[in-house]
Amino acid sequence: MENGFVDCHCHISAHEFEEDFEDVILRTREAGVKTLVAVTEEVGEFARVLQLQESYPDLVAPCFGIHPLQAAEGPQQRSVKPQDLDVALPHFYNHKERLVAVGEIGLDFTPWCAPTQQDRDDQVTVFIKQLSIAKELDLPVNVHSRSAARVTIETMKEQGISRALLHNFAGKPSVALEGVKAGYLFSFPPAVCRSKQRDKLIKQIPLEHICLETDSPALGLHQHVRNEPANIILPCRYIADVKGLPPETVRLVTAHNAYRLFPKAKTR
């Protein structure tokens, strides 16, 4: 199983994949992807990700999580409220045997998404509660941190979290290294290939703390083109280039890292 790629953070249950799902899965397998760690953002996705696991038990590894940003009327997103999590709580416990992680959870302090202190406080409340669930269920966490890298890592450390993936991390290298010290892993999607901005970060994080992701259908090589798990080769090659390593080494080590972090994904 470790001879293939692990997409550590993707939204395979997203509606963007509904029309050609079988083709997407075929391309995923052809690209050598062995495991899709399938995150959710809101309770409405939970049933879909479990259904996909039933259909593709050797491929889909489900996570449940309530994202710090939730859908609002129109194109805008709103900051999460504690009641968004209240509705979801029973599902974590009812399906705990099938989950490989709690995610996508985290903090997003982007000013237009969380304009008030109350918004940020509510996000922290929801985040801490989900960290508590992860500890109770003995699961790792799959984490979003935007404009909140330091607070996210500090909160996890304060809550005694030892197993975490910080996906699409874009914080300062010094902040990332605090996460490395805590044992956390960091993943990068195809979008990192668009610019050199994160080269310094990728150079400084040891390969033993790096995983691959696509975050599909978002964060692809081209901003307005649907991303999919088959594109996992792109961040693999990019990280290999930045670190001066063979892509094969990056593939093998990141897959090993992923199964170390998400052991239930390997034993399904």
Side-chain angles (χ1 to χ4, degrees), residues 133-153:
I133 292 168
K135 286 196 296 182
E136 189 179 343
L137 301 181
D138 192 26
L139 291 171
V141 288
N142 206 320
V143 178
H144 172 105
S145 61
R146 189 167 65 161
S147 301
R150 188 178 297 279
V151 183
T152 301
I153 288 174

Side-chain angles (χ1 to χ4, degrees), residues 176-214:
L177 291 175
E178 287 300 310
V180 168
K181 283 182 195 170
Y184 305 153
L185 278 69
F186 298 80
S187 59
F188 299 96
V192 293
C193 307
R194 290 188 214 148
S195 76
K196 301 281 186 184
Q197 287 180 338
R198 277 187 273 186
D199 286 11
K200 185 178 177 184
L201 178 66
I202 291 169
K203 279 179 184 172
Q204 292 200 29
I205 298 174
L207 186 59
E208 290 70 29
H209 287 263
I210 291 179
C211 290
L212 302 177
E213 65 158 295
T214 60

Side-chain angles (χ1 to χ4, degrees), residues 14-82:
H15 66 84
E16 285 91 341
F17 292 123
E18 286 173 2
E19 288 189 8
D20 62 342
F21 190 83
E22 293 293 333
D23 292 336
V24 169
I25 294 297
L26 181 62
R27 288 190 291 271
T28 297
R29 294 191 190 278
E30 287 175 346
V33 179
K34 300 298 183 186
T35 301
L36 298 176
V37 180
V39 295
T40 55
E41 295 187 347
E42 47 91 20
V43 68
E45 289 182 272
F46 289 5
R48 172 65 174 160
V49 86
L50 291 182
Q51 176 195 350
L52 292 177
Q53 187 209 23
E54 288 171 9
S55 300
Y56 305 94
D58 63 324
L59 183 66
V60 176
C63 309
F64 282 1
I66 300 299
H67 193 279
L69 302 180
Q70 296 288 295
E73 290 191 14
Q76 297 301 313
Q77 291 181 301
R78 61 170 176 82
S79 197
V80 72
K81 303 292 181 193

Side-chain angles (χ1 to χ4, degrees), residues 86-149:
D86 292 343
V87 180
L89 280 177
H91 299 279
F92 288 93
Y93 298 97
N94 292 343
H95 300 287
K96 61 185 179 183
E97 299 304 325
R98 297 176 64 179
L99 303 180
V100 302
V102 172
E104 175 175 4
I105 65 175
L107 301 174
D108 193 319
F109 291 171
T110 310
W112 54 89
C113 296
T116 70
Q117 186 60 47
Q118 185 62 54
D119 289 331
R120 295 187 285 275
D121 290 346
D122 284 345
Q123 284 193 22
V124 171
T125 297
V126 172
F127 185 37
I128 288 175
K129 178 61 180 174
Q130 292 187 96
L131 294 175
S132 163
I133 292 168
K135 286 196 296 182
E136 189 179 343
L137 301 181
D138 192 26
L139 291 171
V141 288
N142 206 320
V143 178
H144 172 105
S145 61
R146 189 167 65 161
S147 301

